[in-house]
Amino acid sequence: MTKELGLNAAASKKVHDAFLKNIKQMEDIFTSKIEEREKRVALDAHRKSFEKTMKSILSASQFAKFQKLEAEHHGPPPPPINGERPPRPR
């Protein structure tokens, strides 16, 4: 992401630290014993907070590129080559 966004060393470290914090907070939400509906609300609030953090680190053009990269990254996985999906873990 450093290359794609054209980040300098300081900004790259800030983005890295923000992602580590993001992962930890999301793990905390996922492993909490709150109901699923409350988890969704907490995850949505966390996502907005993370976006705000990223906006404070990146320039407007870098943030736009970041959003584009995130949109491309997220989404359903590609179908398997043989056309069959593996069984879901239980």
Side-chain angles (χ1 to χ4, degrees), residues 31-81:
T31 58
S32 68
K33 298 194 185 277
I34 60 176
E35 292 186 27
E36 288 302 313
R37 184 178 57 78
E38 292 175 32
K39 283 183 183 180
R40 282 192 295 264
V41 170
L43 287 168
D44 186 51
H46 175 67
R47 181 186 52 78
K48 289 176 184 175
S49 173
F50 179 67
E51 284 183 3
K52 185 177 177 182
T53 299
M54 293 302 287
K55 274 185 181 179
S56 72
I57 297 170
L58 304 173
S59 69
S61 64
Q62 288 171 327
F63 185 73
K65 287 179 189 175
F66 167 74
Q67 285 184 310
K68 183 180 178 193
L69 289 171
E70 285 289 296
E72 291 171 357
H73 176 71
H74 294 297
I81 295 171

Side-chain angles (χ1 to χ4, degrees), residues 11-30:
S12 181
K13 170 129 177 59
K14 288 179 184 178
V15 167
H16 177 76
D17 291 346
F19 268 96
L20 290 178
K21 184 178 177 184
N22 177 49
I23 291 168
K24 171 71 173 114
Q25 290 174 338
M26 287 182 68
E27 284 177 353
D28 291 345
I29 293 169
F30 279 117

